[in-house]
Amino acid sequence: PLCVDLDGTLLRTDTLLESLLAVVKKQPLTALLLPWWLVRGRAHLKRQIAARAELDSAGLPYNLELLAYLRAEHAAGRALVLVSAADESIVRPIAAHLGIFRDVLASDGAVNLKGERKMAALRARYGSGGYDYAGNDRSDIRVWSDARAAIVVNASDRVVNRIRVPVTRTFARPRRRLRSLAKALRVQQWVKNVLLFVALLMAPEARNLALFWDASIAFVAFSLCASAVYVANDMLDLAADRRHATKRQRPFASGDLPLAFGFVLGPVCMATGIGLSLLLPRAFLGILLVYMTVTTAYSFRLKHVPLVDVLVLAMLYTGRVIAGAAATRVWPSPWLLGFSLFFFLSLAFVKRYSELYALRQQQESLKVRGYYPADLELVATNGAVSGYLSVLVAALYINSDRVVGLYSEPALLWLICPLLLYWISRVWLLAHHGEMHDDPVLFAIRDRASYVVGALLALILLLARFVGPLH
């Protein structure tokens, strides 16, 4: 028989940690019981967690290469046994789903079937050297020592070098940890935090390089704390992400990064970000903590409340502008805050519009975050109006007394309005054609026309501020 380990071998994840995350998300106070359960033994801990968790066997990230090999062995008539230290209430549904295992051995609430105990159970059933074993972990070395042959799955060189029986097959995943790490941290989202520089760039203090250093520290701190929230959300949304067409490729959902790594990565990013924020005015730390609180509330609840979701998104973007101002003590004008709120409200509506458009194209009538496909026109109207209101705020700002004292040639600023009108209208036109990325900010990063508009806006601002009167 071929005996196959589950966690880290057949699955590219750890079912205990998956179950723990599912339980904590559903019943957060259950975490207080973990030490009491652990005192009574690891097997008891696993049984209690498994009893409260619901794992989708079909949605778990399987090692597809190994699974194809096991299916071929099963088709050839070989007996396959699923052997795991996970609780049997988790292991048996997985075995039933796959339909290729003749038997299951797992922890039963009293015995933690790992290492020496797993080896003893297999020896009692098949005799020493009477089975082959597929595993991946240091704890599997003891089992391999009693097996006839080893099948090694994604094991480290240190583990492989300690195997003393013949290795008949090796299954190794491509090492893409750096790329997976960047995806887990959502490094591409850090570009949104450039908004922390906006208040400083729009103020007379823009020539003060020391303030730019403070803004740079704020950028790194804000990015790291935002990444910590992303990591936490991804770990708590594993089941939902795996049902999504693109989110299923996220590092933790796909198994590219181990969940244990996430338990370290998130807190390290959070601690580093908060540590950097202590170098800045205390107001920045306060705004950062409020931002993380609202972001977490959005992820768990507010994103499912129609209209509130887009308003919160717009406020989070505007909050970045306020955070940058707090870091540099250069406070933005009400005009800038008003423009930001309406502008990013428009982009938030674009995001929802794209999701609803995709549903309508699939002729689905399902509700998405409180919206129905029938709401498509209303969402488009609200979004377009919000975008044009932001241009109106910009026009009123250009006509205000504040501009006269800040710019050498304020009349040039009127050129900003047609550029903004063009860009906002183009975004909505592309969304109407179904060509918009579900995140319009990331779309702008890849869009050449957006770079041209951005460069022209920057040129106009520089000419208006630092070049003398043109007449």
Side-chain angles (χ1 to χ4, degrees):
L2 172 56
C3 301
V4 185
D5 179 46
L6 180 64
D7 295 334
T9 303
L10 180 58
L11 290 178
R12 301 175 63 184
T13 189
D14 186 314
T15 54
L16 176 60
L17 295 180
E18 291 246 356
S19 303
L20 177 60
L21 289 168
V23 171
V24 169
K25 180 179 181 180
K26 186 178 180 181
Q27 304 170 350
L29 294 180
T30 303
L32 300 176
L33 297 174
L34 295 178
W36 169 247
W37 293 339
L38 184 58
V39 167
R40 301 180 62 181
R42 287 182 176 272
H44 180 77
L45 172 71
K46 293 176 180 180
R47 172 57 56 92
Q48 294 301 319
I49 293 175
R52 292 164 173 79
E54 296 179 6
L55 295 186
D56 178 14
S57 299
L60 292 172
Y62 291 92
N63 187 322
L64 298 181
E65 186 182 2
L66 174 63
L67 185 56
Y69 169 75
L70 295 178
R71 292 189 190 279
E73 292 291 292
H74 172 70
R78 189 174 192 186
L80 303 181
V81 182
L82 189 56
V83 187
S84 176
D87 191 80
E88 62 181 354
S89 63
I90 289 176
V91 181
R92 290 193 180 278
I94 293 174
H97 167 70
L98 295 176
I100 59 176
F101 292 100
R102 181 173 299 180
D103 202 358
V104 169
L105 293 175
S107 298
D108 59 4
V111 176
N112 184 37
L113 204 70
K114 187 173 183 177
E116 187 76 26
R117 290 179 175 176
K118 182 184 287 189
M119 183 272 290
L122 291 174
R123 175 185 286 180
R125 178 165 296 197
Y126 304 111
S128 181
Y131 58 94
D132 292 352
Y133 180 72
N136 73 297
D137 191 59
R138 182 177 59 183
S139 63
D140 293 321
I141 294 173
R142 188 70 185 92
V143 186
W144 275 318
S145 69
D146 189 62
R148 184 192 69 160
I151 293 177
V152 181
V153 183
N154 192 37
S156 66
D157 292 339
R158 182 178 300 178
V159 169
V160 173
N161 292 336
R162 295 178 61 184
I163 299 175
R164 297 293 177 258
V165 297
V167 176
T168 58
R169 288 292 298 265
T170 299
F171 297 87
R173 287 208 311 267
R175 297 292 182 176
R176 297 176 296 183
R177 288 290 171 86
L178 190 59
R179 182 187 301 178
S180 298
L181 176 62
K183 288 177 65 176
L185 295 177
R186 310 271 185 92
V187 173
Q188 74 277 11
Q189 301 281 2
W190 289 10
V191 68
K192 298 177 181 179
N193 298 328
V194 172
L195 292 171
L196 275 79
F197 293 90
V198 168
L200 179 58
L201 291 171
M202 300 295 292
E205 296 87 348
R207 298 182 182 181
N208 189 334
L209 295 180
L211 293 179
F212 273 96
W213 175 249
D214 290 341
S216 299
I217 294 175
F219 173 85
V220 176
F222 211 89
S223 298
L224 288 174
C225 287
S227 290
V229 175
Y230 288 138
V231 169
N233 289 341
D234 285 355
M235 293 179 67
L236 291 170
D237 285 342
L238 293 172
D241 285 351
R242 288 170 183 153
R243 293 191 294 267
H244 194 275
T246 57
K247 293 180 180 179
R248 63 190 304 176
Q249 299 302 325
R250 287 178 174 175
F252 296 111
S254 65
D256 284 341
L257 286 181
L259 295 179
F261 182 72
F263 279 98
V264 176
L265 180 62
V268 167
C269 287
M270 181 73 70
T272 305
I274 291 177
L276 287 173
S277 69
L278 297 178
L279 302 174
L280 301 171
R282 293 293 180 266
F284 173 77
L285 176 58
I287 294 172
L288 178 59
L289 294 176
V290 170
Y291 173 86
M292 289 189 295
T293 301
V294 175
T295 300
T296 304
Y298 172 82
S299 298
F300 284 98
R301 180 69 185 110
L302 298 180
K303 69 181 181 182
H304 300 291
V305 182
L307 300 182
V308 171
D309 62 328
V310 290
L311 287 170
V312 170
L313 281 176
M315 291 169 61
L316 289 174
Y317 279 110
T318 306
R320 290 175 168 92
V321 177
I322 298 173
T328 58
R329 292 194 175 94
V330 178
W331 296 100
S333 68
W335 298 107
L336 178 58
L337 296 180
F339 170 82
S340 299
L341 189 61
F342 285 118
F343 182 78
F344 291 115
L345 180 60
S346 180
L347 297 189
F349 273 117
V350 169
K351 186 177 177 68
R352 291 294 173 264
Y353 181 93
S354 300
E355 296 171 350
L356 293 173
Y357 183 90
L359 278 183
R360 176 175 285 189
Q361 291 300 106
Q362 299 166 10
Q363 297 183 341
E364 295 280 354
S365 59
L366 299 176
K367 183 168 65 174
V368 175
R369 298 186 179 183
Y371 300 92
Y372 292 93
D375 298 327
L376 198 67
E377 288 74 17
L378 178 62
V379 169
T381 300
N382 289 343
V385 169
S386 300
Y388 294 144
L389 282 176
S390 70
V391 181
L392 176 61
V393 172
L396 293 174
Y397 168 72
I398 294 169
N399 200 44
S400 67
D401 295 335
R402 180 184 177 89
V403 169
V404 176
L406 188 59
Y407 294 90
S408 301
E409 188 59 37
L412 285 174
L413 295 177
W414 285 105
L415 296 175
I416 289 176
C417 293
L419 286 173
L420 289 174
L421 287 170
Y422 165 76
W423 190 85
I424 292 169
S425 300
R426 180 172 179 271
V427 164
W428 276 102
L429 185 63
L430 292 174
H432 184 71
H433 292 164
E435 301 174 12
M436 175 57 58
H437 191 284
D438 60 357
D439 189 331
V441 176
L442 297 183
F443 158 80
I445 297 173
R446 305 183 182 99
D447 180 49
R448 291 183 179 180
S450 297
Y451 279 103
V452 173
V453 171
L456 290 174
L457 290 173
L459 179 62
I460 291 169
L461 289 170
L462 288 173
L463 290 174
R465 173 171 293 189
F466 299 114
V467 177
L470 301 180
H471 50 74

